[in-house]
């Protein structure tokens, strides 16, 4: 019996190695993180765990009740043979992780396969496999993990049921009793231990991945917070040096450098004796990145520094872009290419995009400072840090659970930021462009509020090519969300209505929020105000630009009732109509 236990534990060890492979499958990550699988993923999971149970059968050993010898499992068993196996592990894990459909589905696959092998325990073992899936599913709890001790007990109990069924169903009873006396205890212990180890490995690997992702997110946000104040001043030798020092301290590579199109702006770390500030570019690969605008991973052979004795071994070189034009590079050097991981490449790619956005913001700052209407242009260039960091947090949290949604929100955020910056240089945009800007903003806000926010947009397509000052609609929608429905727990509704009324266009933004106090309502849009809930700057600037562009007939009209909501409306003339 002890020899069989040792053999079973050895085989279980091989089976449990599958747990690590399992953590790499998308369906499994969705199952653990979201307790939800689509139909295709569910079928994949059932087939996987069913096949896992079959492997557990073949990884067992055949026991001959006549000779009392153990042999390898063959395609077909004799009537004197039964299998000491670890089939139950896969079936129990399926039920514990996925519930009834997965547990019973995998049990049917592995159970029917076991019956096909024959032997005097074929029926009892096949039926008990299906029951094991049903049993484990009863312990499935949505949103909760099964502890290893509980997994051991469930796995051992499932195997105990199999031993009982062998005694009750298999014939002759003398063979069944001899079999259970020989393999019963080793199989109960081995399968209990195997189930516990499987769950322990799975949750540890997933936990480590989550911790690593969280640490990367914290590091990225910390770097963003530290660098934003520097690059908002523009990219020069002083700000580049400050950013390189931050990155060198946070990421600890061999060296960090930033360049413009012709010169090294800053270099921190090894090789700073010849990679010096204001000196010409030293590596050919940097010039290639500037030419093509694509991130490059360079090893020692491809760096091609002008100094043959340069100690820089490998580098990740990412472009810095301004309005889709490559204006410089961010370079992180490492001792060798082995030190560059996929995680570090993704991090550097994200940092280059972040720094590029900060450069774009700096460019916008300079643009509005030179504009005649500095007050209006400043508003158009501003991007709320809270909105930006909240958006980044949402995207980071979705990267591991829903990469497609994360990519979609990142595209929306990119479009939103680009439109904000374009607003600093354009006098008018079409209503279609304004709506695209609003929709990009709403996609991000709807991801934040999940099921809390409902947005209804009713637009007459015939007026989409009419023009308005840039950033006219988005501040009104943002005001409705930020001040109108922010404190509502459910049933929050925002409506945007654009309709043709003959020679003019009516534009209305409504919410069903808490409303605006009368003393504040009469002043909104007419002047800037200081209060705990905001300054009214957004409405003031929208109103002022409408008045300057179209005249008094386009002024904002604000109506509100306490706890019933607010409506902000204005009217603009169609193109060609005198104002």
């Amino acid at each position: 019996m002890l020899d069989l236990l040792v053999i079973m534990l050895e085989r279980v060890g091989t089976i449990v190695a599958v747990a690590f492979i399992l953590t790499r499958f998308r369906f499994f990550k969705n199952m653990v993180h979201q307790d939800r699988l689509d139909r295709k993923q569910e079928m994949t999971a059932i087939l996987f765990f069913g096949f896992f149970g079959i492997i557990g059968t073949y990884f067992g050993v055949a026991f001959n009740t006549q000779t009392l010898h153990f042999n390898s499992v063959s395609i077909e068993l004799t009537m004197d043979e039964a299998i000491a196996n670890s089939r139950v592990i896969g079936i129990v894990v399926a039920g514990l992780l996925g519930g009834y459909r997965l547990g019973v589905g995998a049990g049917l696959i592995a159970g029917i396969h076991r019956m096909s092998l024959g032997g005097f325990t074929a029926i009892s073992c096949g039926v008990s496999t299906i029951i094991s899936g049903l049993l484990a599913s009863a312990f499935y709890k949505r949103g909760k993990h099964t502890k290893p001790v509980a997994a051991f007990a469930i796995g051992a109990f499932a195997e105990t049921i199999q031993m009982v069924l062998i005694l009750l169903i298999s014939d002759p009873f003398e063979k069944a009793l001899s079999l259970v006396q020989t393999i019963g205890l080793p199989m109960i212990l081995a399968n209990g231990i195997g189930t516990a180890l499987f769950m322990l490995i799975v949750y540890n690997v997933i936990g480590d991945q989550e911790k690593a992702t969280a640490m990367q997110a914290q590091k990225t946000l910390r770097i963003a917070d530290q660098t934003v104040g520097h690059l908002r001043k523009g990219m020069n030798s002083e700000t580049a040096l400050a950013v390189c020092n931050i990155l060198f301290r946070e990421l600890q590579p061999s060296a960090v450098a930033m360049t413009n199109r012709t010169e090294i702006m800053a270099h921190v770390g090894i090789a700073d004796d010849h990679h010096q500030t204001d000196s010409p570019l030293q590596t050919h690969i940097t010039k290639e990145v500037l030419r093509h605008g694509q991130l490059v991973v360079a090893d020692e052979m491809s760096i091609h520094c002008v100094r043959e004795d340069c100690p820089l071994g490998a580098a990740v070189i990412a472009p810095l872009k301004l309005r889709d034009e490559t204006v410089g590079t961010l370079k992180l050097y490492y001792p060798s290419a082995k030190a560059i991981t996929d995680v570090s490449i993704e991090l550097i790619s994200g940092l280059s995009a972040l720094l590029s956005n900060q450069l774009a913001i700096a460019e916008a700052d300079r643009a509005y400072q030179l504009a005649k209407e500095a007050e209006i242009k400043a508003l158009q260039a501003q991007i709320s840090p809270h909105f930006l960091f909240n958006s980044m947090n949402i995207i980071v949290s979705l990267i591991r659970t829903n990469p497609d949604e994360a990519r979609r929100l990142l595209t929306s955020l990119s479009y939103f930021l680009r439109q904000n910056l374009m607003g600093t240089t354009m006098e008018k945009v079409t209503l279609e462009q304004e709506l695209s800007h609003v929709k990009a903003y709403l996609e991000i806000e709807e991801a934040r509020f999940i099921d809390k926010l409902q947005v209804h947009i009713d637009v007459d397509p015939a007026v989409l090519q009419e023009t308005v000052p840039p950033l006219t609609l988005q501040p009104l929608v943002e005001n409705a969300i930020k001040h109108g429905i922010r404190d509502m727990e459910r049933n929050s509704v925002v409506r945007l209505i654009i309709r043709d009324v003959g020679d003019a266009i009516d534009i209305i933004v409504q919410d069903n929020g808490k409303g605006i106090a009368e003393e504040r309502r009469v002043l909104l849009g007419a002047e800037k105000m200081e209060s705990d809930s905001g300054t009214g700057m957004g409405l003031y600037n929208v109103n002022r630009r409408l008045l300057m562009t179209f005249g008094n007939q386009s002024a904002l009209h604000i109506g509100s009732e306490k706890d019933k909501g607010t409506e902000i409306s204005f009217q603009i003339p169609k193109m060609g109509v005198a104002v």
Side-chain angles (χ1 to χ4, degrees):
M1 186 179 295
L2 182 59
D3 290 341
L4 177 60
L5 178 60
V6 173
I7 294 172
M8 288 295 298
L9 289 176
E10 288 177 350
R11 303 295 173 91
V12 164
T14 305
I15 293 294
V16 169
V18 178
F20 180 79
I21 299 174
L22 181 63
T23 61
R24 295 298 187 254
F25 285 92
R26 178 176 294 181
F27 78 81
F28 177 77
K29 293 179 180 179
N30 287 349
M31 186 164 54
V32 172
H33 290 302
Q34 301 177 353
D35 285 324
R36 183 175 64 250
L37 297 175
D38 59 33
R39 189 176 298 275
K40 182 179 179 181
Q41 290 174 330
E42 191 173 75
M43 286 303 302
T44 302
I46 290 172
L47 291 173
F48 180 92
F49 284 111
F51 183 65
F52 188 14
I54 293 173
I55 291 176
T57 299
Y58 282 117
F59 267 62
V61 290
F63 177 69
N64 191 304
T65 56
Q66 293 293 328
T67 65
L68 302 182
H69 289 158
F70 291 101
N71 303 301
S72 297
V73 177
S74 60
I75 297 177
E76 187 175 349
L77 300 177
T78 68
M79 288 306 296
D80 293 325
E81 288 183 320
I83 304 173
N85 62 82
S86 53
R87 177 176 56 254
V88 163
I89 295 176
I91 310 308
V92 169
V93 169
L96 291 177
L97 293 178
Y100 286 101
R101 289 187 180 180
L102 264 64
V104 174
L108 282 169
I109 293 173
I112 292 171
H113 169 265
R114 172 62 189 92
M115 293 179 192
S116 70
L117 295 180
F120 75 100
T121 62
I123 300 299
S124 57
C125 289
V127 171
S128 66
T129 301
I130 300 170
I131 292 175
S132 295
L134 192 64
L135 169 68
S137 301
F139 292 92
Y140 166 73
K141 293 182 179 179
R142 184 179 293 273
K144 294 185 178 181
H145 293 170
T146 304
K147 295 181 179 179
V149 173
F152 170 83
I154 296 167
F157 184 51
E159 192 58 52
T160 301
I161 290 176
Q162 179 168 265
M163 296 300 114
V164 172
L165 287 179
I166 289 174
L167 292 174
L168 293 176
I169 298 175
S170 299
D171 188 51
F173 179 77
E174 291 75 14
K175 283 186 181 180
L177 180 60
S178 174
L179 175 68
V180 171
Q181 288 175 335
T182 304
I183 71 171
L185 185 58
M187 283 187 63
I188 290 170
L189 290 176
N191 283 289
I193 292 171
T195 304
L197 285 175
F198 195 108
M199 301 296 286
L200 183 64
I201 291 172
V202 163
Y203 288 134
N204 278 349
V205 171
I206 293 296
D208 288 344
Q209 291 173 347
E210 291 177 346
K211 289 176 184 177
T213 302
M215 290 178 65
Q216 288 294 99
Q218 291 175 358
K219 184 179 292 186
T220 302
L221 292 174
R222 189 166 61 245
I223 290 172
D225 186 53
Q226 294 178 62
T227 57
V228 66
H230 297 289
L231 286 186
R232 283 293 293 267
K233 301 174 184 176
M235 190 167 72
N236 53 50
S237 297
E238 180 182 349
T239 57
L241 179 61
V243 170
C244 285
N245 277 318
I246 292 168
L247 296 180
F248 187 75
R249 181 176 64 252
E250 292 287 345
L251 304 179
Q252 299 180 349
S254 299
V256 182
M258 288 180 66
T259 77
N260 57 25
R261 293 192 61 84
T262 58
E263 296 177 333
I264 298 172
M265 303 191 70
H267 183 101
V268 177
I270 63 173
D272 57 1
D273 57 333
H274 61 283
H275 290 262
Q276 297 178 343
T277 300
D278 298 329
S279 64
L281 299 178
Q282 304 289 308
T283 60
H284 295 295
I285 195 71
T286 301
K287 298 174 184 178
E288 288 296 313
V289 173
L290 288 166
R291 186 177 300 113
H292 299 296
Q294 300 293 326
L295 181 145
V296 169
V297 178
D299 58 20
E300 187 176 2
M301 298 299 294
S302 58
I303 287 180
H304 296 307
C305 181
V306 294
R307 286 272 293 270
E308 292 185 1
D309 60 342
C310 181
L312 298 173
V316 180
I317 306 173
L320 297 175
K321 296 186 176 183
L322 185 60
R323 294 192 295 272
D324 294 327
E325 179 184 355
T326 303
V327 296
T329 63
L330 170 67
K331 304 193 288 184
L332 274 77
Y333 293 97
Y334 295 87
S336 68
K338 292 181 180 180
I340 301 175
T341 65
D342 291 339
V343 173
S344 61
I345 293 173
E346 289 296 323
L347 177 60
I348 295 165
S349 176
L351 286 174
S352 72
L354 176 66
L355 298 180
S356 295
N357 276 332
Q358 291 179 356
L359 290 175
I361 294 171
E363 185 77 5
D365 285 345
R366 285 193 295 272
Y368 85 74
Q369 288 170 0
L370 297 174
K372 292 181 181 180
E373 289 296 322
E375 190 176 88
I376 295 176
K377 295 298 183 182
L379 178 69
Q380 292 175 242
Q382 286 172 356
I383 301 168
S384 168
H386 294 294
F387 173 76
L388 181 60
F389 285 124
N390 285 339
S391 302
M392 290 175 64
N393 274 328
I394 295 169
I395 293 168
V396 167
S397 69
L398 287 172
I399 284 174
R400 67 176 186 274
T401 60
N402 196 338
D404 291 337
E405 179 69 2
R407 281 193 292 271
R408 188 181 70 82
L409 290 182
L410 190 57
T411 300
S412 297
L413 178 59
S414 175
Y415 182 85
F416 176 83
L417 296 175
R418 187 163 57 250
Q419 291 298 108
N420 269 50
L421 297 176
M422 285 176 61
T424 65
T425 58
M426 301 179 66
E427 292 185 4
K428 286 187 179 182
V429 296
T430 65
L431 282 172
E432 186 175 23
Q433 290 173 304
E434 276 289 281
L435 278 172
S436 296
H437 188 213
V438 169
K439 289 176 181 177
Y441 168 78
L442 287 173
E443 284 180 351
I444 298 166
E445 291 290 21
E446 286 175 327
R448 284 181 58 201
F449 289 101
I450 310 177
D451 296 327
K452 173 181 173 181
L453 174 62
Q454 300 178 48
V455 179
H456 302 288
I457 298 178
D458 182 9
V459 179
D460 187 343
V463 301
L464 287 177
Q465 296 308 309
E466 300 293 332
T467 58
V468 292
L471 291 178
T472 296
L473 301 185
Q474 186 272 332
L476 302 183
V477 175
E478 181 177 356
N479 186 77
I481 294 173
K482 185 176 180 181
H483 299 294
I485 65 171
R486 177 181 57 184
D487 298 326
M488 297 178 65
E489 292 298 325
R490 59 184 180 275
N491 299 326
S492 305
V493 180
V494 173
R495 290 185 173 87
L496 172 60
I497 304 167
I498 303 177
R499 60 194 177 198
D500 189 343
V501 289
D503 292 335
I505 301 165
D506 277 348
I507 300 176
I508 304 167
V509 176
Q510 301 172 334
D511 69 69
N512 65 339
K514 62 184 179 182
I516 305 171
E518 182 61 19
E519 63 271 20
R520 183 174 177 84
R521 183 194 67 80
V522 297
L523 297 177
L524 278 174
E527 62 184 67
K528 293 174 283 187
M529 300 175 294
E530 294 293 336
S531 75
D532 293 337
S533 60
T535 64
M537 175 67 80
L539 295 182
Y540 172 77
N541 272 281
V542 170
N543 191 48
R544 185 176 175 195
R545 282 182 286 138
L546 288 171
L547 293 174
M548 292 174 62
T549 305
F550 300 115
N552 291 335
Q553 68 269 32
S554 294
L556 292 180
H557 296 278
I558 304 173
S560 185
E561 286 188 60
K562 183 176 176 60
D563 297 325
K564 291 188 177 181
T566 300
E567 178 181 291
I568 300 178
S569 64
F570 63 95
Q571 191 176 84
I572 61 173
K574 289 184 177 179
M575 289 187 296
V577 178
V579 297

